[in-house]
Amino acid sequence: MKKQDLLSIAKEQGTSVYVYDAEKIKYQYERLRQAFSSVKKLKINYAMKALSNISILSYLKSLGSGLDTVSLQEVKLGLHAGFSPENIIFTPNGVSVQEIEAVVKLGAQINIDNLVILEEFGNRHPNVPVCIRINPHVMAGGNSNISVGHIDSKFGISIHQIPHLLRIVENTGMNINGIHMHTGSDILDIEVFLHASEILFDTAKNFDQLEFLDFGSGFKVPYKVGDIETDIEELGEKLTKRFHEFCKEYGRDLALAFEPGKFLVSEAGYFIAPVNGIKQTTSMVFAQVDSGFNHLIRPMLYGSYHEIENLSNPEGKKRYYSVVGYICETDTFGNNRQIAEINEGDFLVFRNAGAYCFSMASNYNSRFRPAEILWHQGKAQVIRNQENFEDLLHNQTLLDFQEKAVEA
Ligand SMILES: *Cc1c(COP(=O)(O)O)cnc(C)c1O
């Protein structure tokens, strides 16, 4: 979508707002599908924790996507958005057996990543097919907050525990229908990913009732010019070849599943915030926007980079700014950024704001969470209203006190 479209939406809203470009989501979805077009049974399960608005879910469903979920509530949102339970996989970490059982009742595929839970579940429900999440102990890149395949990660069942796992499966008589891995959030090197895939294939050979192999995600998208991005096309070519060889060896065609979040929605998202003021100090020029980490926390939480542009003065002379928010804590969106001259009232746009942005928003400082807009076929549609004062009061109880001051 064009910058002019973003600016008119921003002007109409007049306050901070998220905008998502449906066309870009579709483009990314099709790109992934094309890269694996020779796989007979390809399952793309959108990892909805990245962006969970029900209209985004509904749009991805219309493209043919399934869903990857991490909580009972996400499963329920997915069902509400129209997904059938067979197209939902539940990949939680650290949840109770009760939560897993509640999801089983709703009909979604479950994925277990803890031996104790697996045994408990298998004893109680030997007939419910279960997918197993393994940890291949491969570092896929990125920082330790977002890489989840390494040795001390809390995710997955260690491949060193496979013998133990096999004993549990045998003793409970449970049916393992899928093997899963999710090596982390930044695949920089395809060879590393392929190496982890070999470990998945090796593990899979231990089970004879498999229906699918799930290779997780971690596809990297560029956040700035020159960033490395996962070469999906190359991955498609190489992994497809190995997958076909494996299926031949295994004796039948399995489904190949992925669960991308960021890859599908990151670049489709724009966060726009008006500038409240410019503040010059002896060493710095601050552009203060009408937002903060209550709306977009990734830069402060794990130092992620979001390109910032001035929509209102795109041709202006470039100057250096630190873009900060209004929260009463340090909330710097970007330090020393070169941005076209900013004036009070201008609208700044933050790119790559589709994944893990709105979904991490909060009411900190008692601010409203912003509206979300979907740009679809040249039209802006509100898919979530900005919160209001009623929303802030919702679920709270106001107690009335008649305490007497203690006399001195
Ligand atoms: C978060 C998550 C994903 C999506 O990761 P991205 O980096 O956004 O693609 C996939 N699988 C699981 C199990 C996840 O928890």
Side-chain angles (χ1 to χ4, degrees):
M1 66 185 296
K2 294 193 220 77
K3 286 184 192 168
Q4 204 48 47
D5 300 324
L6 290 171
L7 184 60
S8 34
I9 292 172
K11 281 183 175 163
E12 199 184 321
Q13 295 293 315
T15 180
S16 328
V17 62
Y18 277 98
V19 181
Y20 310 117
D21 179 4
E23 227 16 72
K24 181 66 183 175
I25 297 177
K26 186 177 185 171
Y27 176 83
Q28 291 294 93
Y29 184 87
E30 285 304 318
R31 225 183 113 194
L32 183 56
R33 218 174 52 86
Q34 282 303 322
F36 289 87
S37 56
S38 67
V39 173
K40 275 188 219 127
K41 301 181 209 169
L42 180 70
K43 289 286 301 172
I44 299 173
N45 297 318
Y46 167 56
M48 69 174 278
K49 73 175 188 288
L51 174 60
S52 53
N53 185 291
I54 52 180
S55 284
I56 298 292
L57 302 187
S58 166
Y59 184 67
L60 275 147
K61 179 179 161 280
S62 77
L63 300 179
S65 180
L67 269 196
D68 179 68
T69 58
V70 294
S71 69
L72 173 61
Q73 292 75 9
E74 282 196 351
V75 175
K76 287 183 172 174
L77 280 175
L79 292 171
H80 183 84
F83 283 89
S84 57
E86 313 85 80
N87 291 324
I88 301 180
I89 179 163
F90 181 51
T91 307
N93 174 262
V95 305
S96 66
V97 179
Q98 288 74 22
E99 184 167 335
I100 295 174
E101 286 174 334
V103 169
V104 168
K105 277 213 182 92
L106 296 175
Q109 165 76 47
I110 59 166
N111 188 352
I112 294 182
D113 88 331
N114 174 334
L115 288 177
V116 176
I117 300 277
L118 184 74
E119 184 159 31
E120 201 175 329
F121 187 85
N123 280 323
R124 281 153 76 162
H125 312 276
N127 298 320
V128 175
V130 170
C131 172
I132 291 173
R133 176 174 185 173
I134 61 157
N135 184 342
H137 302 311
V138 170
M139 265 299 260
N143 65 40
S144 61
N145 290 326
I146 52 177
S147 281
V148 294
H150 50 99
I151 195 88
D152 54 0
S153 151
K154 69 167 187 163
F155 299 96
I157 295 170
S158 165
I159 43 158
H160 304 303
Q161 293 175 306
I162 299 291
H164 187 179
L165 190 158
L166 292 174
R167 269 201 308 281
I168 291 172
V169 171
E170 196 180 313
N171 293 343
T172 56
M174 64 196 305
N175 168 13
I176 303 302
N177 68 343
I179 308 285
H180 167 276
M181 69 169 188
H182 172 61
T183 51
S185 244
D186 276 356
I187 298 171
L188 300 175
D189 186 342
I190 286 179
E191 294 310 316
V192 175
F193 191 83
L194 291 170
H195 173 65
S197 304
E198 289 305 321
I199 297 170
L200 190 78
F201 290 136
D202 276 344
T203 309
K205 288 175 192 155
N206 292 296
F207 304 90
D208 54 14
Q209 299 185 63
L210 295 181
E211 291 159 19
F212 64 95
L213 295 182
D214 189 333
F215 293 83
S217 173
F219 304 141
K220 189 168 164 45
V221 296
Y223 275 66
K224 55 181 161 208
V225 182
D227 255 6
I228 305 175
E229 118 174 70
T230 306
D231 189 336
I232 290 288
E233 289 71 23
E234 184 190 347
L235 180 68
E237 207 171 294
K238 292 185 170 164
L239 185 59
T240 298
K241 184 163 166 283
R242 272 301 290 132
F243 185 73
H244 284 151
E245 286 166 12
F246 173 80
C247 288
K248 215 166 176 185
E249 222 180 298
Y250 191 73
R252 64 198 151 81
D253 277 329
L254 300 181
L256 189 166
F258 284 115
E259 45 192 38
K262 197 184 275 179
F263 181 79
L264 295 177
V265 298
S266 174
E267 295 164 282
Y270 301 88
F271 178 60
I272 309 170
V275 176
N276 287 339
I278 301 294
K279 181 172 182 172
Q280 181 123 28
T281 68
T282 47
S283 61
M284 193 83 89
V285 184
F286 291 102
Q288 300 173 302
V289 293
D290 200 42
S291 181
F293 69 62
N294 52 320
H295 293 159
L296 175 56
I297 200 174
R298 301 182 79 247
M300 304 87 185
L301 187 63
Y302 38 59
S304 66
Y305 183 96
H306 292 262
E307 197 76 49
I308 306 171
E309 288 168 56
N310 187 353
L311 284 176
S312 305
N313 184 23
E315 305 303 328
K317 186 176 181 319
K318 297 249 175 172
R319 295 178 179 278
Y320 283 95
Y321 295 95
S322 280
V323 178
V324 295
Y326 53 28
I327 293 291
C328 296
E329 278 185 50
T330 301
D331 58 349
T332 307
F333 289 104
N335 242 328
N336 284 318
R337 297 288 187 88
Q338 249 200 326
I339 303 171
E341 181 160 353
I342 304 175
N343 292 292
E344 191 179 317
D346 284 356
F347 287 97
L348 303 189
V349 64
F350 299 73
R351 289 180 171 269
N352 286 74
Y356 308 106
C357 292
F358 184 93
S359 64
M360 288 190 182
S362 74
N363 292 118
Y364 189 47
N365 281 203
S366 297
R367 298 279 182 183
F368 304 142
R369 275 178 292 188
E372 292 181 289
I373 307 256
L374 183 64
W375 179 258
H376 181 233
Q377 298 180 344
K379 259 186 24 209
Q381 284 173 291
V382 178
I383 55 173
R384 186 192 304 264
N385 290 311
Q386 187 191 43
E387 286 177 329
N388 56 35
F389 194 64
E390 287 299 302
D391 294 318
L392 290 186
L393 292 177
H394 187 63
N395 279 333
Q396 296 197 64
T397 305
L398 180 63
L399 298 180
D400 190 15
F401 295 104
Q402 314 277 328
E403 220 106 330
K404 293 219 168 54
V406 181
E407 302 208 359

